[in-house]
């Protein structure tokens, strides 16, 4: 996709609209995108907001890439997951984008049990959270996204079977799309929806135990580990919904989640 030098300059704004459009960082090239598209955001992100290296083969780093929303993949209590195609003229990859809702839109009413003990750095944010203002609700959604991003990176680097974390931008996390090996292009089903044969079931059990032990070595337990939060990608399991990691020894929810065996 090539543009003339003239096209690549910002449009000259009128005096009345200049401030508004500058605040949105609007560019003439945006007019070439459909409503469900946006320019690739990866180059603008800080290092810790991008995926850990080494990068898998599906990761695209080209600043000219375009992200296209393909539709909703899954709805949840605190966030929705969308299917996104990231593409250049020569390459494309499908990713999953988890977008957190604001507190007033969230259906998960026990979130405080999982954010217990997590502090915010800025006093303004702490006051907004306490007062329940509209800004405070945005801060709360960002806290969930930040928590999941941090835990995803930690878990992936510890060798725990989680989706590869690609990037975080605001309240959106983009991760590896977990495909069903038996049905290319189709999302892997949740463990709850499968009926594995005895040998595969035994393997799944062993994988879950290994993951739980690995979480414990990190000092955490998954606060909501269930067949609904585990994907069955053929003969391997992938654990999702990482913001609900808790410290077993320091939180009441963590002690309940860990149980007597962990």
């Amino acid at each position: 996709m090539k543009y003339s030098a003239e096209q690549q300059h910002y449009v000259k704004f009128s005096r009345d609209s200049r401030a508004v459009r500058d605040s949105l960082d609007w560019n003439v090239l945006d007019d070439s995108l459909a409503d469900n598209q946006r320019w690739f955001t990866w180059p603008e992100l800080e290092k810790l907001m991008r995926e850990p290296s080494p990068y898998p083969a599906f990761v695209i780093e080209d600043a000219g890439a375009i992200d296209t929303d393909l539709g909703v993949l899954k709805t949840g209590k605190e966030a929705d997951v969308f299917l996104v195609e990231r593409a250049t003229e020569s390459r494309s990859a499908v990713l999953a984008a988890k977008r957190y809702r604001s507190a007033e839109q969230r259906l998960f009413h026990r979130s405080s049990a999982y954010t217990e003990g997590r502090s915010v750095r800025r006093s303004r944010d702490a006051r907004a959270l306490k007062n329940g203002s509209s800004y405070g609700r945005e801060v709360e959604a960002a806290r969930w996204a930040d928590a999941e991003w941090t835990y995803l990176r930690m878990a992936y680097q510890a060798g725990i079977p989680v989706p590869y974390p690609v990037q975080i931008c605001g309240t959106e996390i983009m991760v590896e799309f977990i495909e069903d090996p038996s049905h290319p292009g189709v999302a892997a089903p949740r463990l709850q929806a499968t009926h594995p044969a005895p040998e595969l079931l035994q393997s799944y059990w062993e994988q879950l135990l290994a993951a739980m032990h690995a979480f414990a070595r990190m000092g955490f337990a998954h606060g909501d580990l269930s067949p609904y939060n585990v994907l069955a990608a053929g003969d391997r399991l992938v654990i999702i919904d990482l913001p609900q990691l808790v410290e077993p020894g320091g939180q009441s929810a963590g002690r309940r989640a860990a149980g007597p065996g962990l």
Side-chain angles (χ1 to χ4, degrees), residues 56-101:
F58 68 82
V59 170
I60 294 176
E61 302 177 62
D62 191 330
I66 292 175
D67 289 346
T68 302
D69 272 18
L70 301 179
V72 177
L73 182 61
K74 173 183 174 248
T75 59
K77 293 172 287 189
E78 74 280 349
D80 299 313
V81 180
F82 293 78
L83 206 58
V84 176
E85 180 189 46
R86 175 162 288 175
T88 65
E89 290 184 338
S90 59
R91 296 181 60 200
S92 67
V94 175
L95 304 172
K98 186 171 185 178
R99 297 166 186 168
Y100 279 88
R101 305 191 193 110

Side-chain angles (χ1 to χ4, degrees), residues 150-165:
T150 298
Y151 295 146
L152 270 172
R153 285 179 59 95
M154 292 171 59
Y156 179 81
Q157 291 173 327
I160 298 173
V162 297
Y164 178 77

